[in-house]
Amino acid sequence: LVTSNMMSALAKMIPPISYGTRLSSFVLVTLLMISAHMLEFGIVHYATRRYKTLSGQMSRDNATAEQGLTRLVKIEFMVVKPIHLWLEMIMRFLSPVVYAIATAVILG
């Protein structure tokens, strides 16, 4: 919200032109990166909660794990586990690199 307000204020400060500027492209890339991080936070938060719930279920029903858990729950656990373990760490390293490259290309 703050970034979109900043984009509006910036558009009012510069004279009206019919083409995009480097500054508007840079602010748009920043807005997209913020949105991507917000989406990534939501996905990791959900995956962490589901991972804890499913691993607790599996440890309680360890004796009857094969009979008690459906195939869909096992697939969900296989999908949620790598997201919980790796997505945040990958984004922490990948995001600054992508942002630096995009900034260098835009402001170049």
Side-chain angles (χ1 to χ4, degrees), residues 57-58 61-74:
Q57 234 178 10
M58 289 180 150
D61 300 333
N62 198 12
T64 60
E66 292 298 320
Q67 300 158 355
L69 298 175
T70 64
R71 184 180 193 125
L72 186 61
V73 171
K74 291 177 186 176

Side-chain angles (χ1 to χ4, degrees), residues 24-64:
S24 63
S25 299
F26 175 73
V27 173
L28 183 63
V29 166
T30 302
L31 182 64
L32 291 174
M33 292 296 288
I34 291 170
S35 299
H37 280 281
M38 184 178 66
L39 182 66
E40 178 259 339
F41 173 78
I43 291 170
V44 169
H45 181 69
Y46 174 77
T48 300
R49 288 180 58 198
R50 286 302 295 163
Y51 176 77
K52 287 180 182 178
T53 302
L54 292 173
S55 62
Q57 234 178 10
M58 289 180 150
S59 66
R60 275 196 320 265
D61 300 333
N62 198 12
T64 60

